Amino acid sequence: MAEPSLRKRIWGWFFFDWASQPYNTLLLTFIFGPYVTEVLGDGSTAQTVWAIGIGIAGIVIALLAPILGSMADTSGRRMPWIWGFSALYVIGAAGLWWAAPSDFDLIRTLIFFALGLIGMEFATIFTNSMLPDLGSRAEIGRISGNGWAFGYCGGLVALVIMLAFFAQGGDGKTFLGLDPAFGLDPEAREGTRAVGPLTAIWYVVFMVPFFLWVRDARTVPAPPGSTKLALKDLGRAIRDLPKTPSLAAYLASSMFYRDALNAMYGIGGVYAAGVLGWAPTDSGIFGIVAIITGAVFAFLGGQLDSRFGPKPVITVCIWALLGVSVCLVAISRDSMFGVPLGEGSKAPDIAFYVMGAVIGAAGGVLQAASRTMMVRQGNPARMTQSFGLYALAGKATSFLAPLLIGAVTFLSGSQQIGVSPLIALFLLGLFLLRWVNPHGERDDTWAPSAPSSPPLL
């Protein structure tokens, strides 16, 4: 079989973002999270258990990510890992079908959700490490931004399908006023629960271009003792972090701001359902706004990344998300920034839609620019290990924001006060970013591993 062209490899890589984005869009934030809130019947309780569940999954990812990344670098094979974690993604997503309101098992639901989330995160580590194989240093910012924008478009299409034909409002109808498709039972909430199988099927179908067109840069059998060698190499890389202060500062900075962003995504739908009383269809419309702005700004952010570098792009995005965090604490159904509102006021809903647009725009750009920055900071010869460390940084404290939110929500009894830890985490990320060299530790030795070929989107 002929080797796929560079353009096909780039598009195949884009399709991972398209295929995997619905886990974030449909399950983590806009459909399934609010559904859990509705089933449990209490916003504070839902926010607490949902945050704790995400935090426990984060601990697993933090412990294993750098080890698996180092093992993949030693063998030169990333595709078998992607296959394996893709299977975990599909099993976890599909299993959410059994979260029926009449027989709702919270532990089982959280286990399936965590399995899928772990599968998605680990697959992302290996696909992200392929980014430097796709273009020159000047191009990878644009490639990363375009991929993220393409992924947002996939999330948008999946969300529109879900809202139009499956997810139910309070009257048992979809957003278009239809009964759930395929004769799904509204009373058993089968339309909304179909979000799990739909996410799994979506991934299976749209990963086909990835597996057809993307190749490992090196496909040789692992040498004898490769696991031991990988662990020793990982230990050496961690011990050497003080010798690479820019990389260490970036890993620490990203650890906090990505933790805050992921927590914001994770509790956004639960927060809106509990504080504003939104149904899943309302959260879905919010999601459409966020995804559209995310897709547009991820594309534009990629251009800015290529022109100015990722550091200023990251800085502006963190400031924007910090502002949103303050607004989340200050806005409720009854008041905004301490000013009482009349009964039935739509001002909080409008404000939350605006915040959704900012979260989508800044969040998409931030994540795309962050993986570009990791390519600049990482060791070109050990890029999967570098992204394993990146995942470790992102997950080493990934339990911190959800558990802090869960604890503060529980102690205060208020969802608004419960999200206040996000403010401190974004501020810490900004502070540590000051010590990051935008050109990385190895600016003079970095070389592209693929010929120049600007991607189209």
Side-chain angles (χ1 to χ4, degrees), residues 32-409:
F32 196 74
Y35 169 71
V36 171
T37 303
E38 183 181 336
V39 172
L40 293 179
D42 178 71
S44 295
T45 300
Q47 182 164 296
T48 300
V49 298
W50 200 240
I52 290 173
I54 295 171
I56 292 172
I59 293 173
V60 175
I61 295 164
L63 292 174
L64 295 180
I67 298 173
L68 296 179
S70 190
M71 291 172 62
D73 275 332
T74 301
S75 68
R77 303 186 68 196
R78 292 168 288 195
M79 295 301 286
W81 296 98
I82 296 172
W83 274 104
F85 289 117
S86 293
L88 201 61
Y89 176 113
V90 172
I91 292 169
L96 298 178
W97 167 257
W98 284 282
S102 60
D103 184 31
F104 187 76
D105 186 326
L106 179 60
I107 301 301
R108 180 183 63 196
T109 300
L110 288 176
I111 288 173
F112 274 121
F113 182 84
L115 284 176
L117 184 62
I118 290 168
M120 181 194 68
E121 292 282 359
F122 278 132
T124 300
I125 292 169
F126 294 102
T127 57
N128 279 347
S129 71
M130 295 174 169
L131 177 57
D133 300 337
L134 302 176
S136 69
R137 179 168 189 161
E139 295 167 341
I140 58 173
R142 181 171 41 165
I143 294 172
S144 181
N146 287 357
W148 214 275
F150 191 57
Y152 266 123
C153 290
L156 175 61
V157 174
L159 180 58
V160 169
I161 292 172
M162 190 67 203
L163 289 174
F165 302 108
F166 295 95
Q168 303 157 230
D171 59 356
K173 302 289 186 179
T174 71
F175 181 72
L176 295 181
L178 305 173
D179 290 325
F182 306 121
L184 295 172
D185 183 3
E187 293 295 326
R189 300 306 303 275
E190 288 183 348
T192 301
R193 288 192 288 126
V195 68
L198 174 65
T199 300
I201 293 169
W202 182 278
Y203 186 85
V204 169
V205 171
F206 290 110
M207 278 296 283
V208 171
F210 178 90
F211 288 121
L212 286 178
W213 297 337
V214 178
R215 297 286 185 272
D216 276 321
R218 178 165 56 98
T219 55
V220 296
S226 60
T227 301
K228 184 177 180 181
L229 178 64
L231 293 175
K232 289 179 63 177
D233 190 61
L234 173 62
R236 187 183 307 112
I238 294 174
R239 289 192 302 271
D240 288 346
L241 278 177
K243 300 176 184 178
T244 54
S246 178
L247 172 61
Y250 178 61
L251 290 175
S253 172
S254 69
M255 178 172 66
F256 291 113
Y257 74 68
R258 287 191 296 142
D259 192 13
L261 177 61
N262 289 333
M264 186 177 282
Y265 285 149
I267 58 92
V270 174
Y271 180 93
V275 173
L276 301 181
W278 280 8
T281 49
D282 298 311
S283 296
I285 297 169
F286 171 87
I288 290 175
V289 173
I291 292 170
I292 290 174
T293 59
V296 172
F297 278 86
F299 175 78
L300 295 176
Q303 315 306 307
L304 294 174
D305 185 338
S306 289
R307 182 171 180 180
F308 300 107
K311 185 174 180 178
V313 175
I314 291 171
T315 302
V316 170
C317 290
I318 295 176
W319 275 111
L321 292 167
L322 179 61
V324 170
S325 302
V326 173
C327 292
L328 286 174
V329 176
I331 295 176
S332 72
R333 175 59 68 192
D334 302 320
S335 67
M336 293 179 61
F337 298 96
V339 178
L341 299 173
E343 185 176 353
S345 173
K346 293 295 182 182
D349 302 280
I350 295 171
F352 208 70
Y353 281 127
V354 173
M355 286 190 285
V358 175
I359 292 170
V365 175
L366 181 61
Q367 293 178 95
S370 292
R371 64 184 179 188
T372 304
M373 177 66 89
M374 190 62 235
V375 171
R376 291 194 177 200
Q377 302 293 325
N379 182 350
R382 307 290 293 176
M383 193 53 67
T384 315
Q385 180 193 83
S386 295
F387 271 100
L389 290 173
Y390 180 67
L392 170 62
K395 297 301 178 184
T397 59
S398 64
F399 58 88
L400 182 61
L403 294 184
L404 280 175
I405 291 172
V408 175
T409 302

Side-chain angles (χ1 to χ4, degrees), residues 17 24 111 122 407 425 450:
D17 282 336
N24 292 308
I111 288 173
F122 278 132
L425 292 172

